Amino acid sequence: MSDSKLAGQFFDAAIGLLQRVRDEEAQSVEAAGAMIADTVADGGRLFAFGAGHSSLPAQDLVYRAGSLALMNLLTVPGAVGVDVMPATLGSALERVEGLASAVLGASPARAGDLLVIVSLSGRNALPVEMAMSARALGLKVVGVTSVAYATGTRSRHVSGTYLKDHCDVVLDSKIALGDAELTLDTIPAPFASASTVVTSALLQAVMATAAGALADRGLEPPLLRSGNVDGGLEWNDRVFEQYGDRIFYWQR
């Protein structure tokens, strides 16, 4: 099989998943966008968290052109991305109980805020505990996960529950177990992951919905512009000054 044909198959698979989440998750996207708009309008702050590769869609919301300036990254040392050495340490930290509660307790998050939690499997202790602890503190929780994992795996949290069980809104990415879209007789393992593509698209759809919901209420969404277009940096400086008490990645 030609490489170009495999590339085409992956694009077809990704497009198919995007079409599914567009059609099947429309109500959840609407609900999540409205909840974010409520939080912004009520003076709350926004946070996003993901561990390992699930941190990539979370990071894509933060300090991002076209996104809400109030979205802050909630970080767990050693578990955000694959920059920790060895990379397998990050995976191990996801299974450590008590870590999420400690991180959340030391963060600026408080009642009335909202936390987006991204976890493809939703089975590890870190995202489950993060959601449980956030709701106990009075935060709203939007979870982005593949619900299929809840029926195809065992939970690694002592409660036996998954991320999806502790969210105010759940966005199902529809990703199959294993996160690999292609197979080939001459390749012994499935390959070509689509979770980042789909999850990022889902979250950007939520951000678009939230911006529209704020505008419908007569409120200007606190959006950032690209710093690489004329006037973008000046625009962002004004947004930072106006909302500085709700932005934690920026300092005066």
Side-chain angles (χ1 to χ4, degrees), residues 44-186:
R45 293 86 59 81
L46 307 174
F47 297 88
F49 166 75
H53 286 93
S54 289
S55 72
L56 299 177
Q59 293 182 57
D60 192 49
L61 298 178
V62 180
Y63 187 44
R64 187 75 165 85
S67 198
L68 296 174
L70 306 190
M71 186 64 75
N72 302 276
L73 188 66
L74 184 64
T75 61
V76 174
V80 180
V82 292
D83 55 339
V84 63
M85 292 296 291
T88 50
L89 174 60
S91 298
L93 290 173
E94 290 188 63
R95 300 190 289 272
V96 174
E97 295 186 12
L99 181 57
S101 298
V103 168
L104 195 59
S107 78
R110 65 189 184 194
D113 293 344
L114 181 143
L115 174 60
V116 176
I117 301 177
V118 184
S119 174
L120 176 61
S121 72
R123 69 185 296 216
N124 288 309
L126 188 55
V128 174
E129 183 184 315
M130 188 71 76
M132 295 173 70
S133 298
R135 294 181 87 185
L137 288 174
L139 280 76
K140 295 294 186 182
V141 176
V142 174
V144 190
T145 187
S146 171
V147 173
Y149 276 79
T151 56
T153 66
R154 293 182 180 178
S155 171
R156 288 175 172 154
H157 187 260
V158 64
S159 68
T161 60
Y162 293 77
L163 170 61
K164 71 176 185 63
D165 300 315
H166 305 285
C167 300
D168 296 283
V169 178
V170 176
L171 299 169
D172 183 3
S173 64
K174 316 294 181 182
I175 300 296
L177 270 67
D179 190 18
E181 294 300 318
L182 302 183
T183 58
L184 197 61
D185 291 343
T186 55

